[in-house]
Amino acid sequence: MSKGIICTMDKEVLAVLGSPNSPSGELSIISTSRLDTCLEAFSKEKLILCTGGWGPHFNTSAHPHASYAKTYLIEKGLPKEAFLPSALSTNTVDDAVKMKPILSQFNHVRLMVITSNYHVERVKLIFSTILKAYPMTFVGVDSRLEKDQYDRLVQHEKKAIQSIQENGLYY
């Protein structure tokens, strides 16, 4: 889809939020759990938007996380034509900010935001502010993590939510 052209038809966009990959680009179990959910939800009338650029906490490889995610989905059989441009973001707030101009190509779009179960509460808080013009559903997938790793991520999310509630959302 070229820049400046508005698509007038209703579209559902499966937005798969970025997550860790190794320095060599190998996707983490967090990433593959989100991407496998996208595979299950995909149908030919839907579009896919992958997020994730670079960041010391999730991707220090040569390529953006979203490119690894897109490759994974294409290798699993999804058509290249189903993908919107990637949002090369550095964090969850940046996901929403960088998705907004991509989504603005459509007059009517519904989002299915796919993230991990431990992350969904913060995503709802952020996306309902930045992308409030779009109807959204949120899918929090089982991240298939060991209990101690999962518990650490839950604690991180609680602190991040508290910070947003106390300090506001800056973007």
Side-chain angles (χ1 to χ4, degrees):
M1 186 168 298
S2 61
K3 282 191 168 193
I5 296 178
I6 302 289
C7 181
T8 58
M9 66 182 84
D10 286 355
K11 275 294 182 187
E12 182 167 11
V13 174
L14 305 175
V16 185
L17 302 192
S19 51
N21 56 258
S22 73
S24 65
E26 183 181 342
L27 294 169
S28 67
I29 195 164
I30 296 169
S31 298
T32 58
S33 66
R34 293 176 186 186
L35 294 166
D36 290 344
T37 299
C38 179
L39 283 166
E40 292 170 13
F42 181 77
S43 60
K44 66 180 179 176
E45 65 277 352
K46 296 178 183 179
L47 296 171
I48 301 166
L49 195 164
C50 296
T51 74
W54 295 270
H57 59 288
F58 75 98
N59 181 19
T60 59
S61 75
H63 302 286
H65 173 79
S67 70
Y68 299 120
K70 181 177 176 180
T71 298
Y72 179 89
L73 292 170
I74 290 169
E75 287 175 354
K76 296 286 186 175
L78 297 191
K80 291 178 185 175
E81 303 78 37
F83 290 86
L84 292 170
S86 298
L88 302 183
S89 50
T90 59
N91 57 56
T92 307
V93 173
D94 204 28
D95 284 337
V97 168
K98 290 193 172 154
M99 285 171 59
K100 197 170 187 177
I102 297 167
L103 297 172
S104 71
Q105 298 175 68
F106 300 93
N107 278 335
H108 304 283
V109 65
R110 295 176 318 280
L111 283 175
M112 176 186 284
V113 182
I114 302 170
T115 190
S116 299
N117 52 0
Y118 62 84
H119 191 227
V120 77
E121 186 178 347
R122 181 161 59 108
V123 172
K124 284 180 181 180
L125 182 64
I126 293 167
F127 280 49
S128 65
T129 299
I130 298 172
L131 297 173
K132 62 184 167 204
Y134 300 99
M136 288 177 267
T137 57
F138 298 88
V139 178
V141 304
D142 181 0
S143 51
R144 304 185 295 217
L145 296 170
E146 297 292 328
K147 182 176 177 1
D148 61 330
Q149 188 179 10
Y150 178 82
D151 290 346
R152 281 193 304 273
L153 289 168
V154 167
Q155 287 308 309
H156 168 79
E157 290 300 314
K158 286 180 180 180
K159 288 178 185 173
I161 290 167
Q162 183 178 357
S163 177
I164 292 169
Q165 291 169 335
E166 291 174 359
N167 305 308
L169 185 61
Y170 298 97
Y171 59 97

